[in-house]
């Protein structure tokens, strides 16, 4: 069967295509996926999908209502993390740290917005000499 | 997203240098660990040199782009070695945004005998120094230092997926999702843009660049692969901006085979020239293909890596595994190709005998010096004793990065946060 880039796909219009649906495992999988997510678009390789790939880590939509009280709605791009600003970023990092080290005392890194920071309060940069596990000689 | 994939120890790239003496690994935490093969001792001729840690350093740190409010991961995406030209070793390492040239050098002597400072280390008043003492070089314990020699920053809006050193050893390229830049090693504040596929209207975006590599011998030629399963070969002599390709490699698709997953699984995750420069190898989600540069309309060889995953595409889409980017490598003589799979399996295909084998990189199954046993995945029906069924495969254990020694049968396999080095049994 000759297929070029210009060919369009016909779903179920031709008889032997329908026959193939029973044979092709991808088609069965596709049907499963569409049953779970009916709103899934026809063209996964299209613009939306690629845009998501390019925008890893970028913040989403912020909407400002007309009143003076600014309400921020940040749409999280599924699977990626988006931050409103550096303060948000620091708080998120601090939360992650707190989860992993429950024995740690009050988080000294959480300075944004709470009080006027001093040099001692600023978050320390990660030490450059943290040894990788591989350097312990665990080569198999 | 599984938690085990978030620890900084996860290896993100593996690369032998041009002699195979050194093996570099980069990880998610921005660190580079270099292993060196120990010299074969004269007493134990039959014992091949093993790899030991030679140097370890922090290549990239996490950054925060304040303008766009996004975090720049320190994960090392690629490492590429420069050929050795003097006693020091040079390598390029890159994260999503910045490429760095590192110099790794040894110091085994130290000058001693200065009389310019007193015992406490304070500089003496020059008027009190009455003798001219020439310092002497004395041996010291070997110290390996890594210093950043160049930082190539601010040239990529999108995420860098590839770097490739040119055969002229003066230039290299870095590729992101939409652009490829050409750099001179000496110049860090500018680069030439040689490919730009960003559409004027982003709504019209249909494909992105997934990998790029220079030809091993022709310094004017390079290839780049796309998310649509195509490869373009470009010649820099043709024009300054290589948006128009010289060759276009695409396998025609049977339209009746098309499904929702077709484009996703056709996305090429890696492209590698053969050592001969005559062929290119591409890896998409389910296959590895070898293309002859002289034939653009289809590959000359196609190898099924794990075709049994076709009946699992729905769940692989849901857990994002369908987007995993596997790499592929040639052996030194271009006769065998290797790529990774799931469950810590990796596959090798002998192009001449057409035989293939599945092996596993795991602690439980391999003791040092043990011979790897071939593995087999059973698709349906009766499962034999040694086989593993598709449903039992662990999709969180993926081998994305492998490397093959340039001349010997030594391979390095990265399994999440473990590095395995396998050598051919010596007779």
């Amino acid at each position: 069967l000759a297929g070029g880039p210009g060919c369009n796909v016909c779903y179920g219009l031709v008889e032997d295509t329908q026959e193939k649906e029973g044979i092709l495992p991808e088609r069965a999988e596709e049907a499963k996926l569409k049953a779970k997510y009916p709103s899934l678009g026809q063209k996964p390789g299209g613009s939306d999908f690629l845009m998501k790939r390019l925008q890893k880590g970028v913040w989403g939509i912020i909407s400002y209502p007309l009143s003076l009280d600014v309400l921020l709605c940040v749409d999280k791009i599924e699977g990626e993390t988006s931050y409103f600003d550096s303060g948000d970023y620091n708080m998120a990092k601090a939360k992650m740290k707190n989860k992993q080290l429950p024995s740690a005392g009050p988080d000294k890194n959480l300075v944004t917005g709470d009080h006027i920071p001093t040099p001692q309060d600023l978050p320390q940069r990660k030490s450059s000499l943290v040894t990788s596990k591989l350097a312990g000689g665990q080569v198999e | 997203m599984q938690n085990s994939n978030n620890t900084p120890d996860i290896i993100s790239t593996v690369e032998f240098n041009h002699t195979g003496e050194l093996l570099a690994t980069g990880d998610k935490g921005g660190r580079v660990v270099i292993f060196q093969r120990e010299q074969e001792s004269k007493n134990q001729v039959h014992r091949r040199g093993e790899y030991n840690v030679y140097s370890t350093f922090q290549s990239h740190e996490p950054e925060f782009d304040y303008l766009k409010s996004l975090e720049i991961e320190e994960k090392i995406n690629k490492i590429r070695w420069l050929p050795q030209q003097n006693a020091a070793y040079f390598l390029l390492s890159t994260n999503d945004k910045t490429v760095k040239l590192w110099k790794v050098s040894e110091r085994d002597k130290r000058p001693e005998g200065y009389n310019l400072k007193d015992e406490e280390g304070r500089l003496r008043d020059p008027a009190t120094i009455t003798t001219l003492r020439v310092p002497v070089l004395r041996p010291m314990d070997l110290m390996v230092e890594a210093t950043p020699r160049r930082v190539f920053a601010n040239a990529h809006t999108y995420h860098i997926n590839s770097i490739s050193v040119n055969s002229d050893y003066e230039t290299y390229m870095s590729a992101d999702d939409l652009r490829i830049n050409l750099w001179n090693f000496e110049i860090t504040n500018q680069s030439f843009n040689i490919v730009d596929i960003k559409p004027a209207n982003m709504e019209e975006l249909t494909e992105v660049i997934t990998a790029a590599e220079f030809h091993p011998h022709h310094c004017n030629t390079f290839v780049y692969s796309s998310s649509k399963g195509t490869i373009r070969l470009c010649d820099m002599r043709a024009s300054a901006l290589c948006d128009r390709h010289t060759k276009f490699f695409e396998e025609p698709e049977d339209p009746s085979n098309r499904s929702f997953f077709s484009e996703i699984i056709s996305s090429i995750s890696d492209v590698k020239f053969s050592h001969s420069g005559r062929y290119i190898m591409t890896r998409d989600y389910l296959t590895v293909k070898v293309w002859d540069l002289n034939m653009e309309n289809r590959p000359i060889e196609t190898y099924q890596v794990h075709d049994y995953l076709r009946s699992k595409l729905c769940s692989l889409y849901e857990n994002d595994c369908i987007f995993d980017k596997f790499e592929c490598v040639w052996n030194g003589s271009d006769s065998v190709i290797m790529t990774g799979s799931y469950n810590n399996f990796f596959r090798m295909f002998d192009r001449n005998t057409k035989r293939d084998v599945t092996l596993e990189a795991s602690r439980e199954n391999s003791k040092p010096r043990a011979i790897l046993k071939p593995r087999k995945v059973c698709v349906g029906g009766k499962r034999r004793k040694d086989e593993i069924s598709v449903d039992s495969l662990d999709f969180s254990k993926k081998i994305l990065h492998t490397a093959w020694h340039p001349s010997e049968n030594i391979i390095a396999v990265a399994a999440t946060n473990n590095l395995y080095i396998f050598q051919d049994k010596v007779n």
Side-chain angles (χ1 to χ4, degrees):
Chain A
L1 281 168
C7 276
N8 289 319
V9 186
C10 307
Y11 284 100
L13 290 178
V14 180
E15 268 182 22
D16 59 351
T17 313
Q18 281 193 330
E19 245 181 277
K20 277 213 168 186
E21 274 185 19
I23 299 171
L24 268 186
E26 295 104 288
R27 287 288 174 79
E29 292 294 302
E30 182 175 359
K32 247 194 259 178
L33 195 67
K34 291 221 162 113
K36 281 194 185 181
Y37 310 101
S39 61
L40 209 54
Q42 282 289 317
K43 288 189 77 172
S47 214
D48 293 338
F49 172 65
L50 287 177
M51 289 298 279
K52 173 178 156 177
R53 182 189 171 133
L54 292 177
Q55 285 170 11
K56 174 177 104 170
V58 175
W59 58 356
I61 305 157
I62 301 180
S63 54
Y64 294 94
L66 292 174
S67 68
L68 283 175
D69 290 334
V70 177
L71 289 170
L72 302 168
C73 315
V74 180
D75 275 353
K76 266 193 174 232
I77 297 172
E78 202 173 1
E80 269 82 47
T81 334
S82 45
Y83 305 99
F84 173 55
D85 62 11
S86 59
D88 186 17
Y89 172 72
N90 283 331
M91 287 187 61
K93 283 257 141 158
K95 275 204 193 115
M96 265 166 50
K97 267 199 203 153
N98 283 340
K99 272 198 198 139
Q100 284 161 16
L101 306 164
S103 57
D107 196 345
K108 294 206 171 85
N109 292 333
L110 190 57
V111 293
T112 313
D114 278 7
H115 58 273
I116 296 169
T118 59
Q120 291 88 330
D121 291 338
L122 287 176
Q124 296 297 321
R125 256 168 63 105
K126 221 167 65 165
S127 159
S128 294
L129 295 172
V130 174
T131 2
S132 152
K133 202 182 83 152
L134 288 180
Q138 295 194 32
V139 173
E140 313 266 320
Chain B
M1 290 286 179
Q2 295 93 341
N3 284 332
S4 64
N5 286 338
N6 286 330
T7 64
D9 274 337
I10 293 180
I11 301 170
S12 49
T13 183
V14 190
E15 188 81 355
F16 280 99
N17 75 339
H18 293 261
T19 60
E21 183 205 351
L22 300 179
L23 174 67
T25 61
D27 68 17
K28 203 166 188 286
R31 289 166 303 211
V32 172
V33 180
I34 302 176
F35 299 87
Q36 184 187 44
R37 197 174 185 194
E38 67 186 22
Q39 303 293 342
E40 287 172 34
S41 68
K42 289 182 188 127
N43 301 331
Q44 297 174 299
V45 183
H46 295 294
R47 193 184 134 115
R48 293 283 189 88
E50 291 189 339
Y51 284 85
N52 303 311
V53 177
Y54 177 67
S55 171
T56 168
F57 55 93
Q58 186 77 31
S59 171
H60 286 72
E61 297 272 2
E63 289 172 58
F64 192 78
D65 181 337
Y66 294 95
L67 199 62
K68 296 182 193 165
S69 282
L70 59 89
E71 188 177 9
I72 301 172
E73 260 195 300
E74 67 274 32
K75 172 168 75 93
I76 307 294
N77 292 336
K78 287 277 154 52
I79 288 175
R80 289 290 182 262
W81 290 93
L82 269 68
Q84 200 175 1
Q85 293 175 309
N86 53 33
Y89 302 103
F90 287 88
L91 61 79
L92 285 176
S93 71
T94 187
N95 68 348
D96 282 341
K97 295 288 183 181
T98 305
V99 185
K100 294 188 184 180
L101 176 69
W102 286 89
K103 175 181 176 183
V104 182
S105 49
E106 294 182 6
R107 197 198 286 259
D108 61 356
K109 296 191 231 320
R110 171 176 47 214
E112 283 175 20
Y114 284 107
N115 62 347
L116 299 172
K117 294 185 183 172
D118 64 18
E119 280 109 30
E120 271 106 61
R122 286 182 299 224
L123 282 172
R124 287 169 60 184
D125 179 5
T128 64
I129 302 173
T130 53
T131 57
L132 179 69
R133 179 131 42 108
V134 178
V136 181
L137 289 174
R138 297 217 187 282
M140 60 181 252
D141 288 339
L142 179 68
M143 199 168 78
V144 182
E145 305 176 305
T147 42
R149 302 297 291 168
R150 305 271 188 276
V151 177
F152 305 92
N154 303 321
H156 287 279
T157 309
Y158 303 98
H159 298 108
I160 298 175
N161 50 54
S162 313
I163 46 176
S164 178
V165 179
N166 205 348
S167 51
D168 63 9
Y169 304 155
E170 288 183 0
T171 55
Y172 76 92
M173 69 155 132
S174 55
D176 67 30
D177 290 321
L178 296 178
R179 298 189 178 105
I180 302 180
N181 294 329
L182 182 72
W183 301 84
N184 182 301
F185 280 110
E186 300 301 318
I187 301 169
T188 57
N189 60 357
Q190 54 177 330
S191 64
F192 283 109
N193 175 241
I194 51 177
V195 174
D196 188 339
I197 64 168
K198 184 178 177 189
N201 179 0
M202 283 297 266
E203 298 287 312
E204 289 160 13
L205 182 70
T206 54
E207 63 183 329
V208 295
I209 297 170
T210 53
E213 195 180 50
F214 268 118
H215 189 283
H217 316 307
H218 303 307
C219 57
N220 52 286
T221 304
F222 65 93
V223 294
Y224 69 93
S225 58
S226 84
S227 52
K228 275 184 142 177
T230 65
I231 307 103
R232 287 169 177 81
L233 183 141
C234 301
D235 187 334
M236 295 195 290
R237 296 168 301 188
S239 68
L241 189 60
C242 295
D243 280 357
R244 264 195 304 199
H245 52 262
T246 303
K247 288 192 189 230
F248 181 71
F249 298 85
E250 183 180 36
E251 184 170 27
E253 188 197 11
D254 183 351
S256 63
N257 281 346
R258 196 161 174 78
S259 74
F260 175 83
F261 305 108
S262 298
E263 190 167 317
I264 304 176
I265 62 174
S266 71
S267 174
I268 292 174
S269 50
D270 195 15
V271 66
K272 291 265 173 45
F273 272 100
S274 63
H275 292 91
S276 62
R278 169 115 191 250
Y279 305 103
I280 47 177
M281 167 169 54
T282 58
R283 174 70 154 98
D284 52 62
Y285 191 60
L286 298 176
T287 72
V288 184
K289 294 181 170 135
V290 177
W291 307 72
D292 186 321
L293 284 190
N294 299 318
M295 189 162 75
E296 299 166 58
N297 60 352
R298 59 181 170 82
I300 56 169
E301 294 156 31
T302 300
Y303 300 94
Q304 301 295 333
V305 182
H306 38 215
D307 199 57
Y308 45 77
L309 295 184
R310 250 180 235 276
S311 55
K312 296 261 164 243
L313 291 176
C314 178
S315 47
L316 292 170
Y317 180 88
E318 289 179 294
N319 62 16
D320 276 352
C321 282
I322 203 174
F323 303 109
D324 283 335
K325 299 188 181 67
F326 292 93
E327 291 170 7
C328 53
V329 288
W330 299 86
N331 74 338
S333 58
D334 298 335
S335 58
V336 183
I337 57 184
M338 172 170 70
T339 188
S341 177
Y342 294 106
N343 210 74
N344 281 348
F345 287 168
F346 57 100
R347 304 262 283 139
M348 287 194 206
F349 302 93
D350 188 317
R351 297 178 59 218
N352 299 324
T353 65
K354 298 303 177 199
R355 284 186 7 213
D356 62 83
V357 68
T358 304
L359 300 169
E360 181 177 359
S362 85
R363 267 183 218 269
E364 294 90 47
N365 296 335
S366 43
K367 302 181 176 79
R369 313 268 159 244
I371 297 174
L372 284 180
K373 207 175 61 172
R375 310 282 292 149
K376 198 156 155 75
V377 177
C378 127
V379 183
K382 284 193 151 187
R383 184 181 75 89
R384 290 202 203 112
K385 198 183 76 153
D386 275 345
E387 291 179 357
I388 182 165
S389 83
V390 185
D391 298 308
S392 314
L393 293 174
D394 188 342
F395 290 100
S396 69
K397 293 191 180 155
K398 45 194 103 177
I399 292 184
L400 304 173
H401 314 287
T402 58
W404 204 307
H405 188 285
S407 52
E408 296 186 38
N409 278 345
I410 304 173
I411 57 174
V413 175
T416 317
N417 54 354
N418 291 312
L419 180 71
Y420 293 83
I421 298 181
F422 300 111
Q423 298 193 25
D424 214 1
K425 190 164 106 90
V426 181
N427 294 326

